[in-house]
Amino acid sequence: MEDNRQGIQYCFPKNNMSCFKDIKPEVEYVFLYMFISLLSVFTVFLNLLVIISISHFKQLHTPTNLLILSLAVADLIVGLIVIPFMGIRFIESCWYFGETFCSLFLFTIFMVVTASLGNLFFISVDRYIAVSDPLRYAVRVTTDKVVFWIIINWLCCAIYSVFILYDTMFYPEMQNGCYGDCRVSFKFEHFITDLMVTFVAPSSIIMSIYLKIFCVAKYQAKVINSVSGVSRSQKKAGKTLGIVVAVFFMCWIPYYIITLIEGNESTESVELNVTCWILYMNSFMNPLIYALFYKWFRISAKYIVTLKILKPSSELLNLFPEDK
């Protein structure tokens, strides 16, 4: 059970292939479990507010908000599944939930990450059309079209996740590792391929689209305001969602930089663990951005918390009183 000569403990003492278990001070255990629990609870709670708001109130049934809803679903999954189980694995340095759930867990992480980036891609396209072609925006971007592309986004992300994790999911015994571990072991060339497909390429497109949005907003502001009648709320939505995209990159870029520098074998380095938790916190930060910049979110959240949405016809409540 324990090697007293070296002070080593094992995740599964009765299994001679067991991984080593890191022993932490009790105070550190308490602090880490409190941090993980609070981060998970608040991430779930805040993203549930976004999901319930957009789903319940008819005023929020717009193409842009459907994309925000899809992003909130991805963030909810992070708070509900990824943060708790990854937190336990990080604190205990062991995976106690079996190989099958490990495969499903890794699949969930990959799918949610790629789906989030896909949502940001469609959000950037939506904002570009709204700014550059506002007269035809309602025709070019409809609710049905957005729902279709959201479904396609999640399906493609699921298929890609199965493809990239095929060996890990279906042949876990072929992975080099001890019993009680749960991680993906990529060859460097596979990691580079995944990096290009799921981050560099879409991120470059998103940034180029937002660069065009800012150019249009800067050089054609007077034309847009006088001729096409772009509403203040549309322009504010563009700025707010631009901040969401910027925060996403700020949370994810450090992780990829550290991984490229240290390589795939340094899965337990302090730097990589820190950057991992920074990127998980991105799911907690998105609703805070909406709360800061969207008045409708603050009003709808108040209705939800005070249970006013249980009243008859509450879905028709006005969330934009300044428009009266």
Side-chain angles (χ1 to χ4, degrees), residues 139-162:
V139 176
R140 295 180 63 182
V141 182
T142 64
T143 299
D144 290 341
K145 289 180 181 179
V146 168
V147 170
F148 172 78
W149 286 113
I150 288 174
I151 294 172
I152 292 297
N153 176 46
W154 281 91
L155 283 176
C156 289
C157 292
I159 293 171
Y160 176 79
S161 298
V162 171

Side-chain angles (χ1 to χ4, degrees), residues 127 210 213-214 217 233-245 289 293-294:
R127 290 299 86 204
Y210 266 95
I213 291 174
F214 293 143
S233 61
Q234 284 278 34
K235 290 185 288 185
K236 188 174 183 179
K239 292 179 181 179
T240 302
L241 296 173
I243 293 173
V244 171
V245 172
I289 296 173
F293 293 95
Y294 283 145

